[in-house]
Amino acid sequence: AYVVGVVLVTVALMAVGFYFWTMLLEESSTRMVKLCLHVYVCLLIVMEIGMWQLGSTKAWLFPMCMVVDVWGYGDSAMRFPVVHDIDTFFTFKLASLVVLKTVAFAFGFLKPKDIGVWYILLMFSNVWSYPLCYVLALPIGDKRVQDAKHDVEDVDLVLRLVRFATDAQHRHMALTNWIRRLDVWGLHVASRVPILRGPILFCRPHLRRKMPDKTVI
């Protein structure tokens, strides 16, 4: 009965989460969805750092999770909303990394008996939930969004890092682009979340003149 209860709770939480995610997708811009995906990846990294620091996992699980979170999930968030065909390297890489993380979670805890059936919840929240949210967010079949102009560089993260390290001109352009994106995201968040408006404008005071007259909650 306990196992069934945990499974039902997990399914219920996932259903509620996906319901609100689909509502967000209907109401939000592509830029906002992209920001949410980045935040999701950051939350996963924080959660896995916490599990590692608490001594709940084997030493090798944390770096493996970081590879999946950064190269797999993070790279997909950076390249959103580009839709990749099923026979591309990107799709193969992401699917392989999800399988890798699933297997890693199956063997990566020091005391699996102590976690028990809560392992199911961890598997959903840390392994499978992001890929599902990412796929739901993709504009599959929406030619208007797919054909729209965007500033996404559809290049693998590893290649980006190599170019960043070896090409000074590319490095300057990448830093400039990231600063511009941070300003856009900061302005978007500051105009909608009053509690974060002060810290964001303190860090980026030049955004103050771009703020709307009224803060949208």
Side-chain angles (χ1 to χ4, degrees):
Y2 178 69
V3 175
V4 175
V6 173
V7 172
L8 291 177
V9 168
T10 302
V11 172
L13 290 175
M14 293 293 294
V16 172
F18 284 127
Y19 171 76
F20 283 108
W21 178 243
T22 54
M23 294 292 290
L24 177 69
L25 295 178
E26 292 178 1
E27 301 294 335
S28 301
S29 63
T30 300
R31 181 177 296 162
M32 185 62 183
V33 175
K34 188 182 184 75
L35 175 60
C36 290
L37 291 174
H38 278 90
V39 171
Y40 200 158
V41 174
C42 292
L43 289 176
L44 289 178
I45 292 174
V46 169
M47 289 176 62
E48 282 150 13
I49 290 175
M51 290 191 299
W52 174 53
Q53 289 296 315
L54 290 172
S56 303
T57 61
K58 297 177 182 178
W60 55 264
L61 181 61
F62 176 69
M64 187 170 293
C65 286
M66 290 303 98
V67 171
V68 177
D69 292 345
V70 176
W71 190 35
Y73 300 170
D75 185 47
S76 66
M78 293 172 65
R79 296 160 78 171
F80 182 85
V82 176
V83 178
H84 298 87
D85 292 333
I86 196 170
D87 58 347
T88 59
F89 172 75
F90 172 85
T91 303
F92 172 77
K93 178 193 76 173
L94 187 57
S96 300
L97 290 175
V98 172
V99 173
L100 175 64
K101 193 172 184 181
T102 301
V103 175
F105 260 60
F107 300 99
F109 288 93
L110 289 174
K111 298 178 180 179
K113 291 183 179 180
D114 293 345
I115 299 174
V117 293
W118 290 105
Y119 166 80
I120 300 172
L121 180 59
L122 287 173
M123 188 68 77
F124 270 106
S125 63
N126 288 54
V127 182
W128 299 330
S129 59
Y130 175 85
L132 290 173
C133 288
Y134 170 74
V135 172
L136 287 174
L138 285 174
I140 299 174
D142 190 341
K143 296 295 294 182
R144 180 183 59 83
V145 177
Q146 292 184 31
D147 296 338
K149 292 184 178 180
H150 50 71
D151 59 353
V152 175
E153 186 179 6
D154 189 19
V155 179
D156 191 82
L157 180 60
V158 173
L159 296 179
R160 289 192 189 193
L161 292 176
V162 171
R163 289 170 56 188
F164 186 86
T166 58
D167 189 334
Q169 182 178 0
H170 176 78
R171 184 163 55 248
H172 174 74
M173 292 176 59
L175 290 172
T176 303
N177 188 40
W178 270 106
I179 292 173
R180 181 182 61 80
R181 289 186 180 182
L182 287 174
D183 285 346
V184 171
W185 291 345
L187 183 64
H188 191 79
V189 173
S191 63
R192 287 162 173 77
V193 186
I195 195 173
L196 297 178
R197 186 175 187 177
I200 291 174
L201 294 181
F202 176 80
C203 296
R204 308 294 291 172
H206 66 280
L207 295 178
R208 193 178 301 274
R209 63 178 180 270
K210 299 181 180 180
M211 287 292 298
D213 295 333
K214 295 182 179 180
T215 302
V216 179
I217 299 177

